Amino acid sequence: MRIYVCVKQVPDTSGKVAVNANGTLDRASMATITNPDDLAAVEAALKLKDETGAQVTVVSMGPPPAEGMLRECIAMGADDAVLISGREFGGSDTFATSQIIAGGLSNLGVGPEDIIFCGRQAIDGDTAQVGPQIAEKLNIPQVTYAAEIHKNGNTLTVKRLLEDGYMTVEVSTPCLITCVKELNQPRYMTVKGILECYKKPFTVLDYEALKDEPLIDPTTIGLKGSPTNIFRSFTPPQKGAGKMLQGSNEEMVKELAESLAKKHVI
Amino acid sequence: MSLEEYKGVFVFAQQVDNVLDGVAFELLGKGKDLAKDLNTEVTAVLIGSGVKGLADQLAEYGADRVIVVDDPELKEYRTEPYAHALASVINEYKPEIMLVGATAIGRDLGPTVSARVKTGLTADCTSLEIGDFPLVAAPGKESEQKHNQLLMTRPAFGGNTIATIACPDNRPQMATVRPGVMQKIAPIASAKANVVEFNPGFTPNNRYVEILNIVKAVKSTANIMEAKILVSGGRGVGSKENFKLLEDLAEVLGGTVSCSRAVVENGWLPVDLQVGQTGKTVRPQIYFAIGISGAIQHVAGMEDSDLIIAINKDEDAPIFDVADYGLVGDLNKIVPALTAALKAELGK
């Protein structure tokens, strides 16, 4: 059994976010991290590896520096890593991204016992689309928002989070599961893992390597293969500053209560 | 794909246990605006088992037509039969625009269907309008400018930028829309829609999953998306017990307590009370932000509130940038004082 984990390197949007004058993100000045939901996916795969001895392969599509993130996943315990990288893949929206990753996974081979893990969503795009679209393009079942995963033979029992509770579903392999952060606590890299992460197999799949895949076609990848186009992008306008109340606590609350009453909002 | 064949604004009418979700009505409200601009009609797509009776309700909220896909396989939401149903409706009726609520169901269904019908999907939109793409035609390329396009606006990068996205060469133009963002219309009593039944047939395949059980969380609390007044607490409240101060304030005003993500992570309040990007989007008449620093992820979920009142001990907290009234100080002293002052003002 092989477990593929799709991971993405993202700018750390929880820290200070730098925005260029034209409204685009100043990625160069920001720290990059492994997308948090994807780390939960890595941990879910490593747990299954601990239980079943499965081979865990981490897969990312991105520019060459994403290698560092993939090596970190190996240092956590993954067996090997695949970086899908090429100029032809740049500018992809979710449709084209999922097309390329599905093409890459097909190329690596998705067997009847295999599982693909993804994060629920990446913190930069926030779309939560790539996982389900990969499942669609590989024609395999999917379960999104997984908060608990158990494996019995070739079926998985997955607890899927809903807004007002959860449902438990049973799905057979091969399948794709998207994980939420609440699923687990990702393990740390080990010293041994860090020492050995440069000795483990690392494959780069470029356009040449994938061009014969049925899913990969100049009209389905990159900017050309993306149905959606950015029309404009801007920084959200700041609302004008309100009124800072002054004085003692009693004076402040009295003024507030009176203005609310005067405005008839209470 | 011949784009001219695609007509009409379609809305996925999400239902669970044969009860329509509020987002279905919100999408109909927005769909009506878009349809007016395009001089076309709004169609609700109702998928489920034994759901035909809900069509009148969709008509009251603005649907001109309701396409019903009714089959026992559709009793509970499962990706495969629902994706088959919605994709088949799209292939048969060829909508120009397809809107889906960005719920746990919609965010699963939307991407699957968009990949199946090979079109673009913009996630979690907060604004939709009809316009030209590109906005200004490139000189000499006036004929390439497309009119009457759906321009889909959404926050990205954790709300730090806002992007407007178009889907000029594929149909339908698909968008998922955050619940709570669009406005429903006042229902038109006894309105009727043209009801069309369509069933593409369902044969279980390897992509069908089996549902073992569904557990609904006990609803201990009011729905914060419907509340007129929200008293929201953050990490600064300090403890679960301290939320009593906020409950007292909420009680005087007939409001509801809500919270930031930090509060949920600390286990002080349940997740269904969380406001923000990963929680709910709210737009009450008054939003009290108490002990909430105002991270962009939180502000994204409440900035459209009519009136924002922030109480925080840190005068540099970013919440004051969006607040209409700001009070700097110890919430343990200010909140009880405010409760008392409001009580007096209201003559209670």
Side-chain angles (χ1 to χ4, degrees), chain A residues 253, chain B residues 245-246 249 290 311 330-340:
Chain A
V253 299
Chain B
L245 299 177
L246 278 64
L249 174 57
I290 302 176
I311 302 173
D330 179 1
L331 66 91
N332 292 299
K333 299 204 174 80
I334 292 181
V335 176
L338 180 60
T339 306

Side-chain angles (χ1 to χ4, degrees), chain A residues 94-257:
Chain A
T94 63
F95 187 96
T97 300
S98 60
Q99 189 86 13
I100 296 161
I101 296 175
L105 291 169
S106 285
N107 186 263
L108 296 165
V110 180
E113 296 181 0
D114 294 352
I115 304 169
I116 301 164
F117 281 116
C118 298
R120 170 189 53 177
Q121 69 190 64
I123 56 169
D124 53 355
D126 284 326
T127 69
Q129 291 174 3
V130 172
Q133 292 184 337
I134 292 172
E136 175 62 26
K137 286 162 182 181
L138 293 174
N139 195 25
I140 60 173
Q142 76 193 45
V143 184
T144 51
Y145 294 79
E148 230 178 83
I149 302 166
H150 299 286
K151 185 167 188 292
N152 318 291
N154 277 353
T155 62
L156 296 172
T157 311
V158 184
K159 180 172 153 183
R160 176 173 195 268
L161 288 190
L162 304 170
E163 286 93 349
D164 59 348
Y166 61 87
M167 62 162 60
T168 312
V169 303
E170 203 170 74
V171 60
S172 327
T173 61
C175 60
L176 182 143
I177 296 176
T178 79
C179 304
V180 299
K181 247 177 26 184
E182 291 76 9
L183 174 63
N184 54 39
Q185 183 69 45
R187 64 192 67 187
Y188 292 107
M189 295 181 270
T190 61
V191 174
K192 186 163 171 274
I194 294 168
L195 289 172
E196 288 178 357
C197 74
Y198 278 89
K199 295 178 195 149
K200 294 275 181 75
F202 186 93
T203 313
V204 177
L205 293 177
D206 60 8
Y207 177 71
E208 275 302 303
L210 294 178
K211 69 178 190 320
D212 295 331
E213 285 297 324
L215 288 166
I216 306 289
D217 180 287
T219 63
T220 60
I221 61 165
L223 209 52
K224 262 214 162 87
S226 297
T228 60
N229 287 238
I230 294 189
F231 175 74
R232 65 174 167 223
S233 156
F234 56 96
T235 310
Q238 290 272 330
K239 190 175 157 182
K243 187 174 165 77
M244 295 300 281
L245 301 176
Q246 307 293 337
S248 70
N249 287 346
E250 282 64 34
E251 285 163 0
M252 285 195 293
V253 299
K254 188 159 180 287
E255 188 183 344
L256 179 60

Side-chain angles (χ1 to χ4, degrees), chain A residues 93 95-96 223-229, chain B residues 118-121 166-170:
Chain A
D93 71 355
F95 187 96
L223 209 52
K224 262 214 162 87
S226 297
T228 60
N229 287 238
Chain B
K118 299 189 169 50
T119 192
L121 172 65
C167 177
D169 302 316
N170 294 68

Side-chain angles (χ1 to χ4, degrees), chain B residues 22-40:
Chain B
V23 75
F25 305 132
E26 293 166 19
L27 294 181
L28 283 172
K30 186 71 213 180
K32 235 179 142 52
D33 286 348
L34 298 173
K36 199 171 158 222
D37 289 348
L38 293 169
N39 195 20
T40 179

Side-chain angles (χ1 to χ4, degrees), chain B residues 16-305:
Chain B
V16 175
D17 298 336
N18 292 21
V19 177
L20 286 163
D21 193 290
V23 75
F25 305 132
E26 293 166 19
L27 294 181
L28 283 172
K30 186 71 213 180
K32 235 179 142 52
D33 286 348
L34 298 173
K36 199 171 158 222
D37 289 348
L38 293 169
N39 195 20
T40 179
E41 291 194 326
V42 185
T43 301
V45 183
L46 179 58
I47 299 174
S49 175
V51 290
K52 205 180 151 189
L54 302 173
D56 282 348
Q57 226 183 324
L58 293 166
E60 287 175 11
Y61 281 92
D64 299 306
R65 178 170 63 160
V66 181
I67 296 174
V68 185
V69 186
D70 203 311
D71 192 283
E73 289 288 356
L74 303 166
K75 188 166 187 317
E76 308 288 355
Y77 175 76
R78 284 178 299 165
T79 311
E80 180 50 33
Y82 269 70
H84 175 59
L86 188 57
S88 301
V89 167
I90 290 172
N91 288 332
E92 178 74 18
Y93 294 93
K94 298 192 175 5
E96 190 173 5
I97 291 172
M98 178 81 236
L99 305 180
V100 177
T103 60
I105 287 175
R107 284 163 59 98
D108 187 86
L109 180 64
T112 306
V113 169
S114 71
R116 194 164 294 186
V117 303
K118 299 189 169 50
T119 192
L121 172 65
T122 305
D124 287 16
C125 297
T126 52
S127 160
L128 297 169
E129 56 194 330
I130 302 296
D132 295 337
F133 181 85
L135 184 60
V136 179
K141 291 188 174 174
E142 284 79 7
S143 64
E144 288 176 27
Q145 188 187 32
K146 292 175 187 262
H147 308 292
N148 288 336
Q149 301 293 299
L150 181 64
L151 303 178
M152 301 167 271
T153 300
R154 66 179 301 259
F157 305 119
N160 289 289
T161 70
I162 298 195
T164 302
I165 291 163
C167 177
D169 302 316
N170 294 68
R171 290 293 180 269
Q173 303 162 92
M174 283 184 73
T176 63
V177 179
R178 285 206 73 152
V181 175
M182 303 302 172
Q183 308 280 7
K184 47 185 119 169
I185 62 165
I188 305 156
S190 72
K192 292 279 173 219
N194 171 16
V195 177
V196 183
E197 291 187 63
F198 175 73
N199 191 320
F202 294 87
T203 312
N205 58 35
N206 69 321
R207 299 187 66 181
Y208 278 60
V209 300
E210 192 187 338
I211 296 176
L212 302 179
N213 69 338
I214 297 176
V215 176
K216 305 263 184 210
V218 182
K219 279 266 187 227
S220 54
T221 45
N223 179 0
I224 61 171
M225 287 173 67
E226 303 289 335
K228 299 266 181 275
I229 296 178
L230 282 176
V231 179
S232 204
R235 195 191 304 275
V237 175
S239 69
K240 187 176 177 170
E241 292 68 36
N242 233 6
F243 266 90
K244 180 80 175 62
L245 299 177
L246 278 64
E247 281 162 20
D248 292 345
L249 174 57
E251 201 192 321
V252 170
L253 295 170
T256 304
V257 169
S258 59
C259 66
S260 70
R261 180 167 181 144
V263 169
V264 174
E265 282 178 351
N266 284 338
W268 298 342
L269 288 179
V271 70
D272 57 341
L273 298 184
Q274 185 192 322
V275 172
Q277 193 156 41
T278 55
K280 296 191 167 110
T281 302
V282 296
R283 46 164 70 184
Q285 287 166 3
I286 311 181
Y287 187 88
F288 288 91
I290 302 176
I292 293 175
S293 64
I296 187 98
Q297 287 85 350
H298 183 79
V299 170
M302 47 64 82
E303 61 192 335
D304 290 332
S305 305

